[in-house]
Amino acid sequence: MFNRILLTATLLLFLQHWMWADFTVSGYVRDASSGESIIGVNVYSADFKHGTSTNTYGFYSLSVPEGSYDLRFSFVGYTITSREIVVSSNIELNIELEPITIVTGEAVVTGEKSELVESTDMGRMKLEMEQVKTLPALLGEVDVLKTIQLLPGIQSAGEGNSGFYVRGGGPDQNLILLDNATVYNPSHLFGFFSVFNPDAVKHIDIIKGGMPAIYGGRLSSVLDVALNEGNNKRYRATGGIGVISSRLTVEGPIVKDKSSFIVSARRTYIDVLLRPFIDTRTDYAGSSYFFYDLNAKLNYRLNDKNQLFLSGYFGRDEFGFADKEAGFKASIPWGNGIASARWTHLFSPKLFMNTSVNFSDYTFQFGMNYGDFDFRLTSGIRDWSGKVQFNYYQSYRHEAKWGIDYTYHQFTPTSVKLRSGDTDFNTGTETVLYSHEAALYVSDSYDFTEKFRVTAGVRLSYFAHVGPYVQYTQEDRGGISQIEGRTEKTFQSGQIIADYLKPEPRLAMRYSISEKSSVKASYTHNYQFIHLASLSATSLPTDIWVPSTDRVKPQFGQQYAVGYFQTFMNGMFDASVEVYYKDMRNLVEYKEGTLLEDQVNDNIDNHFTYGRGHSYGIEIFLNKKLGDFTGWIGYTLSRTERIFAEINEGNPYPAKFDRTHDLSVVLSYKLKERWVFTTTFVYGTGNAITLPVERYFIEGRIVDVYGPRNSFRMDPYHRWDLGVTYNVSKTKFKRNKETGEKEEVRRRIDSSFTLSVYNVYNRKNPYFIYFTNEGDLQSGQLDVAAKQVSLFPVLPSVTWNFKF
């Protein structure tokens, strides 16, 4: 009943008569030094006491009555710009903002309304890369994903891991976008570093709750990463040389003020540095690991109404192991390939369109050679997608969005090839799964009064699993599928095997208590049609993406949230408190006892079990945005449980990423123009794991009896990091050859040095626990001891960053 009422209200709100006869001021806001568009610029009129902000492409549209106005354009890190305008017709006003070096409390527009308080957004946070780059980093590698783990409601997957869990959801429930294209594996080095090169990233937008209707396909969150467009005014190169990797970015105009390019590359080189010191006669000579990635982007501004973008990403991890004595070799390459083409068009000052065509590919391979025996395993997912979105800015009180998404999925869960000498073993036909995913959506934001604003939307999603496909049906014996005695059913190419049509209503509301505070509430109703199956306790490249089928039902989630939001001291501080409850159904796990080889020559969905889960908690956030001293404190108190009929005897158990307490403190201090000091501190309840509670000795063997699922807690995780950045003076004194006097001249290269210390007090945080046996049973002196493995001690690192 609630969903029907919400759907009806959304359609009535969207279809209502738009009565507004005012004029429109619109245009683009760009960086004066580079020509790049600026996302999230506040456009405000103190006379009108209303405003708006720029979208992802730097476009804004503000409808005002006829008259004279003082428009102010402001964004952190830029000089405030004002324009006096007389409005008697539609006006096109493009603005360039000048960057400033030091951001202080003076850069505040008095009377300007805070987006945090004014919008209906809940659980939404935005990060700028200049802020991210100053934070202490593991081995000097600035990491987008590790930074968002410092926000409340977002937890890490473990020590050093870039995987993340949002409000009790799994890693597959996060929609990760790079310039509109989906990223399926966002990690390098088995999760220790992310695929996002900090020099290539422009903006980070994370949504934990109140997901707008324009996003779908996931239950928990959206991480939307935008790449830099490239400098269209002059050529520039930036980069850095660190302990384990180096990076280089080159950008510049193709046609000045109209078109630009940017190319950014990164590679680790531990393998290169260690190679001269490794004796080629040792058994393990030839073992190595490295990763690399490449980002590229072109954009061309055809005119003030049309702009084209072409962006791409390619990254690979290469791990190799060799044992000469045993005659064993193994290679494990994996990575992403992504491409996106976009066209933006302005139909009128009020109607903006964004169209994109995207390609995404993720592939994991494992190859092993032992004597004459060869083994090859491949898995992955490949997407072709298209999106069209319209933004209609009816007035400062009314904005609508609508559009259509389509994706064609191609899954390769597991492909195995075996060979011994000249003999090839029959491992069955390679299983490839095909599916279509599409959605229509509409979202409408409307101010019913000056205090009450509603954003209502609905997303109608369709998913179809199609042939060619061979479906195996067999008796389930002891929880493990058996090939013998099974039946087969063949589906032809394009034939629908299973399909689903699901409405997804969304609702968010804001009531302003004052100009500086508001309360908000939101409801999201999501379906997820693709799933990540994992045999491990953490997210690894071996995890397998699979579609919904006639057996694997779409995941379904509902999230309810309420919160209080306030800004104070002229916008210098933001504070919020959010409470949420999330219910999840049709969650997917492997059956207990399943092995990777069980999926060969069989349908992967024969090995799954299904359950539900819930998560609830409170998030507290205090953020100081302006001044020499900035930073935030975030705290989350939460609980996450799972219930599977075939796991833990059907009893509820804590999810592996359940964390009762999660605290993050991030502080940064700018000392004049030269020094930036940063520090972070994190504390979290220990991970939930399953350990033996009893042991029996049967026929000379130790037999473990495990306790309830995830009933044991590791020690709490806590860590303190420090960082300091020294900016080399941009000028130097040089003697004038003609006059003999010293003159101050600008250096050709701007540079800085960043020193980071990870885990300052050398905390031995638990990574995993294992057991050892000491003594022997016959003598009665057998002792079983639990051992803890910790990964990173105190780790200092230094990075040289340059720009010219």
Side-chain angles (χ1 to χ4, degrees):
M1 177 61 74
F2 175 76
N3 289 340
R4 292 180 181 177
I5 295 173
L6 182 54
L7 286 171
T8 303
T10 300
L11 293 175
L12 289 175
L13 183 62
F14 182 71
L15 296 174
Q16 66 175 303
H17 182 59
W18 292 345
M19 299 173 59
W20 204 264
D22 290 340
F23 300 108
T24 301
V25 182
S26 63
Y28 292 87
V29 181
R30 300 185 176 97
D31 185 307
S33 63
S34 67
E36 287 214 24
S37 59
I38 307 176
I39 304 170
V41 175
N42 290 318
V43 183
Y44 185 76
S45 169
D47 314 290
F48 191 44
K49 295 185 178 180
H50 292 288
T52 186
S53 60
T54 56
N55 67 8
T56 306
Y57 300 93
F59 176 77
Y60 73 94
S61 177
L62 179 64
S63 294
V64 296
E66 185 174 356
S68 300
Y69 299 94
D70 179 15
L71 279 187
R72 294 189 177 185
F73 300 81
S74 64
F75 190 71
V76 174
Y78 290 86
T79 302
I80 297 169
T81 298
S82 298
R83 290 288 187 273
E84 294 281 351
I85 59 173
V86 177
V87 178
S88 58
S89 62
N90 292 337
I91 294 178
E92 182 179 326
L93 181 61
N94 297 324
I95 297 294
E96 289 192 341
L97 297 184
E98 292 286 348
I100 55 178
T101 305
I102 300 296
V103 182
T104 68
E106 296 175 357
V108 179
V109 183
T110 304
E112 184 173 317
K113 295 183 179 180
S114 166
E115 183 182 3
L116 174 79
V117 174
E118 279 292 293
S119 74
T120 56
D121 293 336
M122 292 194 68
R124 188 168 194 165
M125 297 182 177
K126 300 175 182 179
L127 296 174
E128 301 303 322
M129 284 308 301
E130 293 306 314
Q131 180 185 27
V132 173
K133 288 179 180 179
T134 63
L135 299 180
L138 174 62
L139 295 175
E141 282 295 302
V142 175
D143 197 311
V144 169
L145 297 188
K146 286 191 178 65
T147 302
I148 68 170
Q149 291 170 9
L150 298 172
L151 299 172
I154 304 176
Q155 286 125 21
S156 69
E159 172 74 280
N161 203 304
S162 61
F164 63 101
Y165 303 93
V166 178
R167 291 185 172 179
D172 64 324
Q173 295 176 356
N174 304 313
L175 177 62
I176 303 175
L177 299 173
L178 182 66
D179 271 1
N180 269 13
T182 303
V183 180
Y184 282 100
N185 188 324
S187 301
H188 285 305
L189 189 56
F190 300 101
F192 288 108
F193 302 107
S194 79
V195 299
F196 302 113
N197 185 336
D199 288 342
V201 174
K202 175 181 183 178
H203 179 79
I204 307 158
D205 191 1
I206 177 77
I207 303 172
K208 303 177 294 180
M211 188 185 297
I214 64 172
Y215 297 110
R218 300 295 188 276
L219 297 191
S220 288
S221 74
V222 178
L223 176 63
D224 198 346
V225 179
L227 294 176
N228 285 315
E229 299 168 4
N231 194 314
N232 65 21
K233 295 183 179 293
R234 65 185 183 90
Y235 294 99
R236 247 179 59 168
T238 59
I241 299 175
V243 175
I244 67 168
S245 72
S246 289
R247 61 190 193 278
L248 177 66
T249 299
V250 179
E251 59 183 319
I254 299 174
V255 178
K256 191 173 182 180
D257 293 328
K258 292 193 69 174
S259 168
S260 64
F261 75 92
I262 182 170
V263 178
S264 187
R266 177 176 60 163
R267 191 194 191 279
T268 57
Y269 40 65
I270 291 295
D271 59 318
V272 177
L273 295 178
L274 293 181
R275 193 173 299 157
F277 303 99
I278 298 177
D279 191 339
T280 57
R281 295 169 295 180
T282 62
D283 292 338
Y284 302 108
S287 299
S288 67
Y289 170 79
F290 65 93
F291 72 75
Y292 62 91
D293 46 39
L294 175 71
N295 292 273
K297 190 170 183 177
L298 302 173
N299 80 88
Y300 190 85
R301 193 183 310 152
L302 301 174
N303 50 47
D304 288 338
K305 295 183 181 297
N306 295 279
Q307 190 163 1
L308 300 176
F309 302 87
L310 181 63
S311 55
Y313 167 86
F314 184 81
R316 279 291 181 270
D317 288 66
E318 298 280 352
F319 176 75
F321 177 80
D323 186 338
K324 287 185 178 179
E325 183 178 0
F328 176 83
K329 289 184 179 180
S331 64
I332 309 177
W334 73 92
N336 299 277
I338 294 170
S340 176
R342 289 177 292 162
W343 168 45
T344 63
H345 176 69
L346 191 62
F347 288 96
S348 73
K350 293 186 177 184
L351 183 59
F352 183 90
M353 181 192 72
N354 169 35
T355 302
S356 66
V357 178
N358 312 296
F359 171 80
S360 180
D361 177 81
Y362 169 69
T363 303
F364 169 82
Q365 294 178 316
F366 174 79
M368 181 186 71
N369 177 266
Y370 185 66
D372 291 334
F373 181 77
D374 283 297
F375 172 83
R376 295 288 182 271
L377 180 146
T378 303
S379 68
I381 180 173
R382 178 173 293 177
D383 285 354
W384 293 264
S385 65
K387 303 178 181 181
V388 181
Q389 179 182 315
F390 295 88
N391 288 38
Y392 188 75
Y393 304 90
Q394 172 61 20
S395 70
Y396 72 90
R397 294 178 60 180
H398 193 182
E399 178 183 349
K401 299 178 182 179
W402 67 91
I404 183 171
D405 295 346
Y406 169 76
T407 303
Y408 178 66
H409 298 288
Q410 179 179 312
F411 303 83
T412 306
T414 304
S415 173
V416 175
K417 294 182 180 179
L418 295 174
R419 181 185 179 91
S420 181
D422 296 329
T423 304
D424 291 318
F425 293 92
N426 179 18
T427 57
T429 305
E430 179 182 76
T431 300
V432 180
L433 308 178
Y434 304 92
S435 63
H436 303 277
E437 184 173 0
L440 295 168
Y441 61 85
V442 59
S443 178
D444 201 327
S445 297
Y446 188 76
D447 286 340
F448 286 91
T449 69
E450 291 294 322
K451 292 181 175 293
F452 185 56
R453 183 178 181 85
V454 173
T455 298
V458 62
R459 187 179 182 91
L460 185 63
S461 298
Y462 175 76
F463 187 89
H465 174 211
V466 299
Y469 183 66
V470 179
Q471 186 178 69
Y472 302 115
T473 304
Q474 60 261 313
E475 181 183 350
D476 192 355
R477 304 174 186 174
I480 303 298
S481 299
Q482 305 292 325
I483 294 178
E484 185 178 339
R486 69 184 179 184
T487 60
E488 299 181 4
K489 183 178 180 180
T490 301
F491 293 87
Q492 301 303 315
S493 179
Q495 184 178 354
I496 294 178
I497 303 163
D499 64 341
Y500 303 92
L501 181 64
K502 301 292 185 181
E504 303 176 57
R506 317 283 173 83
L507 179 65
M509 298 177 289
R510 179 267 297 157
Y511 181 81
S512 297
I513 300 172
S514 67
E515 289 189 353
K516 297 182 179 180
S517 63
S518 64
V519 291
K520 303 180 186 181
S522 68
Y523 168 77
T524 55
H525 181 118
N526 296 51
Y527 284 92
Q528 179 169 328
F529 300 99
I530 65 174
H531 320 270
L532 187 65
S534 176
L535 287 170
S536 65
T538 58
S539 180
L540 292 174
T542 52
D543 297 344
I544 296 170
W545 286 96
V546 294
S548 293
T549 65
D550 59 336
R551 297 169 184 167
V552 183
K553 305 302 179 184
Q555 296 181 53
F556 167 63
Q558 297 182 92
Q559 183 176 173
Y560 309 85
V562 295
Y564 174 78
F565 301 80
Q566 181 168 346
T567 181
F568 48 96
M569 292 185 66
N570 287 328
M572 182 173 291
F573 287 90
D574 283 342
S576 64
V577 178
E578 294 188 48
V579 179
Y580 69 88
Y581 177 84
K582 182 191 292 184
D583 180 66
M584 296 165 282
R585 304 296 174 96
N586 302 331
L587 302 180
V588 178
E589 293 280 0
Y590 276 109
K591 294 177 180 177
E592 291 186 325
T594 300
L595 301 175
L596 188 62
E597 55 266 29
D598 294 334
Q599 303 162 44
V600 178
N601 203 23
D602 196 5
N603 299 143
I604 191 171
D605 54 13
N606 286 327
H607 304 273
F608 292 150
T609 184
Y610 310 98
R612 57 191 175 90
H614 60 262
S615 179
Y616 52 90
I618 181 171
E619 299 169 0
I620 302 172
F621 189 62
L622 176 64
N623 181 22
K624 186 176 185 295
K625 301 185 298 181
L626 302 172
D628 294 332
F629 181 70
T630 59
W632 69 78
I633 299 174
Y635 172 73
T636 305
L637 175 67
S638 64
R639 183 170 180 81
T640 303
E641 290 185 326
R642 296 288 188 262
I643 303 173
F644 283 75
E646 299 184 41
I647 297 177
N648 203 45
E649 299 180 346
N651 297 316
Y653 61 90
K656 59 188 176 186
F657 35 83
D658 172 55
R659 189 168 296 170
T660 307
H661 302 284
D662 194 79
L663 172 70
S664 299
V665 180
V666 178
L667 302 175
S668 176
Y669 179 69
K670 294 180 180 179
L671 181 61
K672 298 184 178 179
E673 295 185 7
R674 295 288 189 89
W675 295 92
V676 180
F677 299 90
T678 57
T679 183
T680 61
F681 175 79
V682 294
Y683 174 90
T685 302
N687 287 343
I689 60 174
T690 307
L691 292 180
V693 293
E694 293 179 337
R695 283 186 170 80
Y696 295 96
F697 300 99
I698 301 176
E699 297 180 355
R701 294 184 302 109
I702 300 176
V703 178
D704 293 325
V705 177
Y706 285 86
R709 181 87 162 223
N710 293 343
S711 58
F712 183 82
R713 290 281 180 178
M714 289 187 181
D715 288 340
Y717 181 95
H718 51 89
R719 192 189 75 245
W720 178 34
D721 304 332
L722 287 174
V724 58
T725 298
Y726 174 72
N727 296 298
V728 177
S729 175
K730 295 182 178 181
T731 60
K732 64 179 180 179
F733 287 95
K734 185 178 181 180
R735 191 174 299 279
N736 190 306
K737 293 182 180 180
E738 296 181 358
T739 64
E741 296 181 356
K742 288 186 177 182
E743 297 178 346
E744 189 175 14
V745 297
R746 184 175 178 83
R747 295 181 186 270
R748 299 180 64 180
I749 299 178
D750 293 340
S751 64
S752 66
F753 292 89
T754 299
L755 172 67
S756 293
V757 182
Y758 183 89
N759 196 7
V760 172
Y761 53 81
N762 199 29
R763 162 72 174 174
K764 291 184 171 65
N765 286 302
Y767 188 63
F768 65 85
I769 293 174
Y770 71 98
F771 293 86
T772 61
N773 301 327
E774 299 177 1
D776 60 86
L777 182 62
Q778 287 74 18
S779 64
Q781 299 296 321
L782 181 63
D783 292 322
V784 180
K787 303 288 186 179
Q788 174 183 295
V789 174
S790 300
L791 281 184
F792 299 120
V794 54
L795 287 175
S797 62
V798 64
T799 303
W800 176 56
N801 301 293
F802 58 86
K803 181 190 303 182
F804 59 88

